[in-house]
Amino acid sequence: MDIEKPLNGNHAVANGVREKNGHHNEDSMSPVGSPQGATASVGSPGSNGLMKKPLPVLDERLKKRVRKLSRSNSKDGVLGVAGTPNFVAPHRKWKNSRRSRNGYGRGLPKKGGAGGKGVWGKPGSEIYQEVDEDDQNDPNFDLDAYNSHHNFELKEVVLELTDEEFQKKVEPIFLEYYEHGDTHEVAESLDEFITGERRPLLSKIAVEMAFEHKQSQREMTSVLISDLYGRTVTSKDICAGFDMLLDNMTDLILDTPEAPHILGNFIARAVADDCVPPKYAYDIDREGLCPQAREALIRACSLLSQHQGWGHLDDVWGVGGALRPVQTLTRQMAILLKEYLLSRDLEEAQRSIKELEVIHFHHELIYEAIVMTLEALNEQTEEAICMLFQSLDNTCIVSPDQMEQGFRRVYDDMADIVLDIPLAYSILDRFVQRCQRAGFLSDAVIKDLPSRGRKRFVSEGDGGRIKPVNLLARDF
């Protein structure tokens, strides 16, 4: 019995293809690329009536050849044979392909964001883009527009600061100057951004800030204006700044009632430092001056017209509190307390104490006030000093530590004070009780109140005179 051999390697694929009903179709069973007569059906009669045997199972060598042939066909662009492992449907061939669609990569952005779909490009690349040149053969070509478009130069443009922005940049510099006192550093900081139109604002801002500070900061402001003259500002700039202050005097006195007096001192000091010409201060009858501005100029003229010259204007703001001798401070505190006892003006007394600028030396003020109360020997003085202490404690001008230190200094010196004031212990006891009712003394200070030991041979009514030693002995 003869066995028909397959014509090619693909013939073995059709061996397992059958109809669902179990019958075979010659057309469907015919191998690909084989003639119609070469059938491989099992159990179907041939043309000569003989039964043909089924094809044998392909060996491993034939299977490898089929796979190699299918793989080569897919590489060459052939879709392969349906049913083979490497068969790819035509509409899915390019969908799952990893090759580039357009020949320029997969369409992903480049490193640094320099390309890709929906990407603007690398930051800053738009600066270096080439400008498309116009066609000079175009009848509508404009040579002037072309030259103006291509012939350009990039320059740095610094925007001009407004008055508010300039003030916000200058104020921190002046506040730091109050801490370090270096005018050279201030000048270097101002040179970085100051322009000619903003120079008059320097003296205006400096004096306005000095209104809200103490005498020592006002002295530093006068020194700053003097050192900036000739380097950062001119005499014209300083005068223009003073003019702004004089025009705004009606608003300045709302926050600083003594503004005319302070501005007059600044003008006189600037004249003494040769920063402002004297005619500026003596021009009182100029037009457009309000009464408060005229008062400031009158104050400056009165300081400049004194016979001893302008040397005294170096101390127009006084010497700093910590730099003054202790004897000077003690004498000023005594004068301050005497003026208060005569006027009973608490606000004036508070202002004078703050002008001393000796926060660390307020215990001396408390000590002098208590000793003055013991020497007065009347309740009116005790009441006035108690009111002063209470106001100083409520306004936080004198700290509780300084208050307590002043009372304890009196406690320690009572042995010497009682020699001059025999009733000192009783008066001190009464005064402390009054302060206790006012509510500003601590319990520790009240508890440590000294009391004089009562001896039989000493009588407070006798003025502290000691009785004779040879007293008569009592008979028992």
Side-chain angles (χ1 to χ4, degrees), residues 321 324-337 353 356 358-373 385 388-389 392 397-410 413 417:
R324 281 173 285 185
V326 176
Q327 295 79 3
T328 303
L329 290 174
T330 304
R331 183 171 58 254
Q332 291 180 352
M333 289 178 179
I335 296 174
L336 182 155
L337 292 172
I353 293 173
L356 292 177
V358 284
I359 301 177
H360 61 285
F361 202 60
H362 283 167
H363 60 85
E364 178 67 21
L365 176 69
I366 303 300
Y367 177 86
E368 293 292 336
I370 297 175
V371 172
M372 192 175 295
T373 302
I385 297 297
L388 176 62
F389 286 177
L392 295 178
I397 296 177
V398 177
S399 64
D401 295 339
Q402 294 291 318
M403 184 76 69
E404 181 178 350
Q405 186 177 354
F407 272 89
R408 292 189 181 278
R409 284 185 56 193
V410 176
D413 294 345
I417 294 175

